[in-house]
Structures are given as C-alpha cells and as structure tokens.
Amino acid sequence: MRLRTYLLRSQAPLWAVLVLFGAAELVSTRSNLLASRQASQAQQELSGARALMKTVVDLETGVRGYVITGDPAFLQPYTEARTRFGTQMDVMQALELEISDELTPAHQAQLRAISDLLTIWYREVASVDIRGRQGDPERVIALEKSGRGKHLIDGIRAQVDQFEQAETRQLTGLTARAAEASLINEVVTFTGALLAILVSVLGSRRVARTLGENFGQLADAAGTLASSAPAEPVTGFQVTEAERLADSFNRMAADLARTYRTLSEQNRLLNLRNADVRATSELAEALQTCATVDESHHVLRSALPQLFRAVSGTLATMNASKNLMDTQVRWEQAGREPAVQTPGVVFEPSACWAIRTGRTYDPQGRTLGAPCLVPGSHGEHLCLPLLAHGEVIGTLRLQDLPEAAEDAAALRELAVTVAGQIGLGLSNLRLRETLRHQSIRDPLTGLFNRRYLDETFERELRRAERQGAPLSVMMLDVDHFKRFNDTHGHDAGDAVLITLGRLLQDQFRREDIVCRYGGEEFAVLMEGASLREGLARAERLRIAAAELPLDFQGRPLGHLTLSIGVTAYPEGGKDTAALTRQADRALYRAKHEGRNCVIAGEAQTEA
C-alpha cells in the first residue's frame, strides 16, 4: 500500500466529523447573525423614538417660553427642533422599511399618527401662539385656556410611548434569541472541536503505531550509524515509500562508511601536517632568538631528529672560505640508534649535486640519476640546499625515505619548508655576527674598538663594585709612531700595529678586554687585577714589546717601545670618566718622563 493512500484512509473519519459539525455551525452562525442584526436595528429604533420625544419637548418648550416672555430667543430651540423632527421621522421610517417584520405596519401607523398630530399642533397652536403674541394676545390666552395644545402634545407623547414600549419588548425578545443562537453556536463549535480532536488523536495513534513499527528498525540502524559504528542493512518494510527509504538508507550507510574511513585517514594526515607546521614555526622562532651560529647548531641538533623521526639525515654548513662542507647535525631513524650522533664529517661542496644545481636533488626522481659523492650517502635519499638570497650556505640530507607515495610527498613538502627556514635563519645569524664583529672590532688589528670599550667599561665597573673586586685600567701608546710612519711608510706602520695587536692578545687573559683606543693608542681593562698586579702586567708587556723583532717585506724595522699609564678601581676613581682620566694622565707622565716606562695613576682622596 502506498503511504498516501494509507494516510487518506486514516483521515476519513476526521473529515466526516468536520463536515457534519461545520454545517451545524454554519446554520447556528447564520441564526445568531440574524438575531444580532435585528436586535441592533431595534436598538436604533428605540434610540430614535427617545430622540423624537426629546424633539417634541423642545418644540413645546420653545413656543411656551416665547408666549410667556415674548423673548424671540426662545424661538431658536423651536426652529432647530422643527428642522430636526423631519430628519428623525425620515430615519425612523427608513428603519421600519429595512426591518420589515410583523410589527412594521403597526409601527408605521404610529409614526404617521405622530406626524399628523404634530402637523395639527403646528397649524392650530404653534403658529397662532407665535403670530398672536405681539398682535392678538387675547386670542393666545384663550387658546391656552382651551387646552387644545396640551391635548395634542399629550397625544403625541402617548403615541411615542406606545412605540417605545413595543420596541422595548421586541428588543428584549431579539436579545434573548441572539443569546440563545450564540450559545448554540458555542456548543456546536466546542463539541465539534472536541470530537475532531478525539478522532484526530485516535487516527494519529493508529498511524503512528503502524509507521513506528515500520520505521523502528530504520531508527535503530540510524542510531547505530550516528555512533560511528557500522549499521546492518534494514529490510521488511510494508509501505512502498518506507521500503524505498530503507534502500536509500542502506546505500547512504555504505557511502558514509567509506567516507568515514577516508576522512579518518585525512584527519590523521592533517593532524600530522599541523604538528609539522607548529614544529616548523617553533624552529623558526628558536633560530630567530639564537645569538650566535654555534647556538643555532645546538638548536638544530635537538629539533631535526624530532621533525624527521621516520628517517635518517644530516645537516652540513659551508665554511667561511666556501671550500668545505662541515656536518653539524647527524641523526638516525627513531628506535634504531640514539637520535643524535657526533657530527664532524667534512666534504667538498662539489661532491653534492644539490649545491651544484642549487635545487633539491632526488636520484629516484631523475631519469639519469648521477651517483652521490657525499660520504655516508646510501640508498634512497633526498638532498635539499639551504639557500639565502640565492646563495647556498648548507645542505639538508634525508635518507631511508618512506616507501608510500603519500608519506614521501608529505616528507618532501616538510623538508622544503624546514630547509627554507633553516637557510634563512642561519643567513640572518651570520649577517648579525658579521655586523656585530664589524661594529665592535678594529678592522686592522682585530682587537675590540673604542665603541666596545665604552659599552663594556661601565658594566665591568659595576660588576667590580658589586663583587668588591679591583679593576685595573691600562692606557698605552707606541713611542715615536709618527716618526716611524714618516720613515718607513704607512704600510709598515700598519704592520707594526698588527704585530702589537697579536702581542697584546698573547699577553692578556681571555676575560681581559683589549681595545685599540685610537691611532697608536690602546686600552686594557683587567678584571680582578689590583693596581700592583696591573703595574706588573704593564711592565711585562713593555719588556715583551721592546724585545719584539719587527720587519716588513724583508726589511728590519728595529724595535718599538711603549709608554704605559695604569690606574685601578677603587683608589683611582669610582666612575669610568675618573678612571680613564687618571690612566690617561699617567700615560702622559710616562711620555714626559722619557717614554718606554710604566707610570701609576694618582690615588683620589675622599672629599
């Protein structure tokens, strides 16, 4: 059986009830409307009769007031009431014609009697009173004494009262009929609605029970499918549409099962990709926060084995001379060996095809795969150049690649991204180191420059103050350096300064700060050295410089001598300006006392 046929049959009793009670309600509604309309018209006639009676009173009052007082102002209500009376009579007669019931002839006769009596009153009483008030008062008085006017007005009042009583009785009856018709209408409506609801509920329960039995197993199967479990095929439906729905559901369940498996795999790959993106972003951030290239190598030794757990690999960087590749990071597949091994493999850049071509090198992806000459390369591998501004600064090599095409493609994409981040990070670090070196190093001697001295002097002095330790300051100058330049040339003078710079680096500790202060003048900060120790080190330096053999392009240049001034914190001063000034004064005293000597600065006294 088709579902439409079944539903139409189940609704037949409801339609029969609706038609039956609808017809009954239509009849009762028409009766109610007719009674209500007649009652409304009767109410209008009653109101018209009362208004008519008020008009008659206004006519009589106006004439009587004028007769008594002779004031024409009393005739104004009379004139208005006379005009109003004609309009009111027309309305009353029109209402009687519209209603046209069994009382209509009697009412029309009463209205004609009222009109006739009032016409007689106009002619025999009102007109005589109004005209005779000024010219013939005796006639007016005689007319009033005769009672003719009162008799006519009383007759009009009697006709109006009879008309009003008849309308009142009719209005009462019509109101009762309207109330009865309204009650019947309400009873029919309520009974019909109640019965329709009852029939609808019974029919709906029967339909629901039948369809519930048919679709119960379909709902159970859908619930099973919603819980991500495989649903069994549903069968045994009797309704044609339900059977078609079951077939569609079975096909949908099979499609959803396949789609679920596909989405689960895609979700797994997406989670892996998101993890790779987060790790790559963290790697880029870590490289940006590194202060030196060596520090970045430590970061890469920790990060690369985590990013590429499923493969082995190495990362090599090109040295400053660009003639060797030095392996900085090496790792093996997770679970095979310790993740990180000691780096140190060195090879020539020409051995790597990725460096030669400046592109990713994959032997398996080439028709004619050239053999890789890099030591340690074996099996399938992928080599990516680390590029920065079009220049190769290193390589990222991955080995033991996955066999699945999707995994290999994902690995290649990740490797390209990571190689780009590493190349950019290392390039920025090298540039920063170069700029830093240029900003704090003297290009001729390789010593720190005056700018670096200004940056570190205050820091070292505050550290000595916190620790309660001494700090010696040495200022030294090459004796007669201008005459040396004039005699041997500026190139020879530069060679002397370079030699002196190496001597200063050999004579002092790594924690001491040796700077070229300017020209042939140098400065040294000696951490933890007292004034006595500073003087002793200065004397050793003076002796070593005097014994230093000098030559330039095979020509001997003789020996050089130094004038040195030394002071120390705290006796030489409590701030950098005072210590610099004391050491500089001691240097000039050494110059004035014959050069080639060491002079201690004067101790400052407390104010």
Side-chain angles (χ1 to χ4, degrees):
M1 180 187 302
R2 296 181 61 85
L3 180 61
R4 181 175 59 184
T5 304
Y6 175 74
L7 292 177
L8 290 175
R9 288 183 178 180
S10 65
Q11 296 299 320
L14 176 60
W15 295 344
V17 170
L18 292 176
V19 170
L20 176 62
F21 279 89
E25 185 173 359
L26 179 61
V27 172
S28 63
T29 301
R30 289 187 61 186
S31 176
N32 184 21
L33 290 176
L34 179 60
S36 298
R37 184 170 63 86
Q38 291 176 345
S40 176
Q41 291 174 343
Q43 181 66 45
Q44 292 178 3
E45 289 182 355
L46 183 60
S47 299
R50 291 171 181 171
L52 191 63
M53 190 64 209
K54 182 179 181 302
T55 300
V56 172
V57 173
D58 290 341
L59 288 170
E60 182 186 14
T61 304
V63 172
R64 182 172 295 179
Y66 176 71
V67 170
I68 296 173
T69 64
D71 187 359
F74 283 94
L75 293 179
Q76 182 178 358
Y78 165 79
T79 303
E80 293 176 354
R82 186 168 182 176
T83 302
R84 190 167 63 246
F85 180 81
T87 303
Q88 291 173 343
M89 287 299 295
D90 293 339
V91 172
M92 294 292 290
Q93 291 174 356
L95 286 174
E96 288 297 331
L97 292 175
E98 183 179 353
I99 295 177
S100 185
D101 54 10
E102 66 275 5
L103 298 178
T104 298
H107 288 172
Q108 290 178 343
Q110 289 175 337
L111 290 176
R112 284 194 300 271
I114 293 172
S115 181
D116 293 342
L117 289 173
L118 192 61
T119 301
I120 296 173
W121 181 80
Y122 283 148
R123 186 178 63 250
E124 296 181 3
V125 179
S127 298
V128 174
D129 288 346
I130 294 172
R131 288 194 305 270
R133 176 64 179 83
Q134 300 295 333
D136 193 4
E138 290 80 5
R139 184 181 178 184
V140 172
I141 294 172
L143 181 61
E144 289 296 327
K145 289 181 178 181
S146 67
R148 177 63 175 167
K150 182 177 183 302
H151 175 73
L152 292 173
I153 292 300
D154 290 341
I156 294 172
R157 283 196 179 97
Q159 292 293 333
V160 172
D161 289 340
Q162 292 176 7
F163 184 89
E164 186 176 345
Q165 291 173 4
E167 289 296 334
T168 300
R169 290 192 297 272
Q170 184 182 17
L171 177 61
T172 303
L174 290 174
T175 303
R177 284 175 55 193
E180 182 181 358
S182 176
L183 179 61
I184 294 174
N185 189 19
E186 292 177 359
V187 172
V188 170
T189 301
F190 177 76
T191 305
L194 185 61
L195 187 57
I197 292 173
L198 180 60
V199 173
S200 177
V201 169
L202 294 177
S204 299
R205 288 187 61 186
R206 185 162 60 91
V207 171
R209 183 174 62 253
T210 303
L211 294 180
E213 294 174 354
N214 291 335
F215 290 107
Q217 57 175 320
L218 182 61
D220 294 340
T224 303
L225 188 62
S227 63
S228 301
E232 297 293 332
V234 290
T235 57
F237 287 88
Q238 299 177 354
V239 179
T240 304
E241 286 80 1
E243 186 176 1
R244 292 171 55 192
L245 180 61
D247 294 338
S248 300
F249 177 83
N250 292 333
R251 291 194 301 270
M252 180 191 70
D255 293 341
L256 285 177
R258 289 191 297 270
T259 303
Y260 178 78
R261 290 191 295 269
T262 303
L263 289 178
S264 297
E265 180 62 20
Q266 291 177 351
N267 187 55
R268 184 186 68 83
L269 295 176
L270 182 60
N271 289 334
L272 294 176
R273 183 68 54 84
N274 290 338
D276 293 340
V277 170
R278 288 194 300 270
T280 304
S281 177
E282 292 175 1
L283 174 61
E285 183 178 356
L287 290 176
Q288 290 178 358
T289 57
C290 289
T292 63
V293 174
D294 290 339
E295 186 178 356
S296 71
H297 293 163
H298 289 291
V299 171
L300 293 172
R301 291 186 187 110
S302 173
L304 290 179
Q306 299 180 51
L307 283 171
F308 301 103
R309 291 179 178 274
V311 298
S312 304
T314 59
L315 181 132
T317 58
M318 191 173 293
N319 65 358
S321 301
K322 298 183 179 181
N323 60 351
L324 287 177
M325 298 293 295
D326 188 6
T327 302
Q328 303 294 341
V329 182
R330 180 181 179 86
W331 75 94
E332 298 293 338
Q333 285 179 319
R336 226 170 68 177
E337 292 183 15
V340 180
Q341 295 184 351
T342 303
V345 178
V346 178
F347 58 93
E348 295 182 358
S350 59
C352 180
W353 287 100
I355 297 178
R356 288 190 186 186
T357 61
R359 297 191 301 271
T360 300
Y361 183 74
D362 182 5
Q364 301 299 320
R366 302 173 66 91
T367 305
L368 300 176
C372 184
L373 303 179
V374 177
S377 298
H378 58 84
E380 297 181 2
H381 67 278
L382 186 67
C383 190
L384 301 95
L386 305 181
L387 298 173
H389 309 294
E391 181 183 359
V392 179
I393 62 173
T395 58
L396 175 63
R397 180 182 300 272
L398 303 178
Q399 299 183 152
D400 303 320
L401 305 181
E403 296 181 359
E406 293 183 356
D407 294 340
L411 176 66
R412 182 186 181 94
E413 183 177 351
L414 175 63
V416 170
T417 303
V418 171
Q421 295 286 359
I422 295 175
L424 183 60
L426 293 180
S427 174
N428 290 338
L429 283 172
R430 288 185 175 184
L431 178 61
R432 281 158 53 187
E433 284 192 349
T434 300
L435 294 176
R436 175 66 176 169
H437 186 275
Q438 292 175 353
S439 65
I440 65 174
R441 291 286 182 176
D442 175 54
L444 179 64
T445 62
L447 302 176
F448 291 115
N449 56 21
R450 184 170 180 174
R451 176 182 177 179
Y452 184 77
L453 176 65
D454 293 338
E455 292 178 357
T456 57
F457 197 174
E458 184 70 29
R459 184 181 69 243
E460 294 298 327
L461 182 60
R462 297 285 78 83
R463 181 186 300 172
E465 183 178 359
R466 289 194 305 272
Q467 297 176 355
L471 174 68
S472 292
V473 182
M474 180 189 302
M475 300 288 288
L476 59 102
D477 186 83
V478 179
D479 296 332
H480 303 296
F481 187 73
K482 183 179 182 303
R483 187 171 60 189
F484 189 93
N485 270 341
D486 295 340
T487 302
H488 301 285
H490 288 284
D491 291 341
D494 290 344
V496 170
L497 293 178
I498 293 173
T499 303
L500 178 59
R502 287 197 293 265
L503 176 64
L504 288 171
Q505 290 177 333
D506 294 339
Q507 287 290 319
F508 292 97
R509 305 167 299 175
R510 291 178 60 87
E511 59 265 29
D512 295 333
I513 300 174
V514 183
C515 304
R516 183 182 179 188
Y517 200 70
E520 68 275 17
E521 191 172 358
F522 296 82
V524 182
L525 298 181
M526 293 169 285
E527 179 185 353
S530 63
L531 179 60
R532 178 179 298 178
E533 293 171 337
L535 291 171
R537 293 182 185 178
E539 182 63 23
R540 287 197 296 271
L541 173 64
R542 185 192 66 80
I543 295 173
E547 296 175 351
L548 186 66
L550 300 176
D551 64 85
F552 178 70
Q553 296 181 350
R555 293 184 296 113
L557 302 178
H559 297 274
L560 61 85
T561 60
L562 302 176
S563 297
I564 305 175
V566 182
T567 188
Y569 167 83
E571 55 266 42
K574 298 295 182 66
D575 56 64
T576 59
L579 291 172
T580 302
R581 186 168 55 251
Q582 288 296 327
D584 203 42
R585 288 176 179 175
L587 170 62
Y588 280 103
R589 284 175 53 201
K591 290 282 188 180
H592 288 298
E593 292 184 11
R595 295 182 173 83
N596 194 20
C597 61
V598 177
I599 300 297
E602 297 178 355
Q604 287 191 339
T605 58
E606 296 290 340

